[in-house]
Amino acid sequence: MALPERTLQVIQTYAHFIHAVATACLKPELLPQAQQMLAQAEQQGWGVMVMALRQVIAGKRDSGVYAGLDDDDRIIVEAILRGIQDPATLPDPNQQPDPSAAAPGLAGLIHAAATGDVAALSALANMAEQMVKVGGDMGRLGGSMRRLVDGERDVDLLTRGMTVQGRDLVAKLVEELASYNVH
């Protein structure tokens, strides 16, 4: 069964984390490293997901582990559970996600939020918060979400301090947003 593109993006973004936790469930000698990762994730504000993953590590596999999880957290926990069942489904922790693949979906979400879609605005706010926690180019882009929703399209302004890859992503995003203004 093919997973939706958004799900694949989340899985690849957190591939190292997913791989480490699932592998630790299969190889208890790796639990100390996984517990350290979980402690760091908890400090970064992922407390609800960490609680769920500690239940998974303790052997819980029923739907109760999803209680209180947002969409991205649920995708991560589901990927870990799939990886425990079938390690072949685990993402490659060394493969870097292609952020430019996210531009069309992100542009659609920004456009929807800008036109008054409250659910899109809420989803975008949650996404921006997670991006800021990641830091780097993603953190800078997350910090620019409000400006993008408000109509800012100056790539130079939006990409101050970003790497070439970050600038390319923002340029593609602005290009995608421009397609919404064509009638």
Side-chain angles (χ1 to χ4, degrees), residues 12 68 87 163 181:
Q12 197 54 58
T163 65
N181 297 327

Side-chain angles (χ1 to χ4, degrees), residues 112-131:
T115 56
D117 184 326
V118 177
L121 186 58
S122 176
L124 198 58
N126 288 334
M127 187 182 302
E129 183 180 334
Q130 295 300 319
M131 292 167 80

Side-chain angles (χ1 to χ4, degrees), residues 106 126-135 138-139 141-142 145:
L106 191 52
N126 288 334
M127 187 182 302
E129 183 180 334
Q130 295 300 319
M131 292 167 80
V132 168
K133 287 178 185 174
V134 169
M138 286 296 110
L141 178 56
M145 286 299 172

Side-chain angles (χ1 to χ4, degrees), residues 44-132:
Q44 293 176 349
W46 292 2
V48 176
M49 183 177 65
V50 169
M51 270 187 359
L53 290 176
R54 287 195 172 124
Q55 291 175 11
V56 168
I57 289 170
K60 187 172 183 178
R61 303 291 189 266
D62 63 59
S63 61
V65 298
Y66 300 119
L69 297 178
D70 67 21
D71 289 343
D72 286 359
D73 292 352
R74 185 182 184 98
I75 290 169
I76 292 167
V77 172
E78 286 174 343
I80 290 168
L81 289 170
R82 271 192 308 277
I84 292 168
Q85 263 189 311
D86 180 3
T89 66
L90 287 171
D92 179 354
N94 299 313
Q95 181 183 346
Q96 293 298 310
D98 177 9
S100 67
L106 191 52
L109 201 55
I110 291 168
H111 176 73
T115 56
D117 184 326
V118 177
L121 186 58
S122 176
L124 198 58
N126 288 334
M127 187 182 302
E129 183 180 334
Q130 295 300 319
M131 292 167 80
V132 168

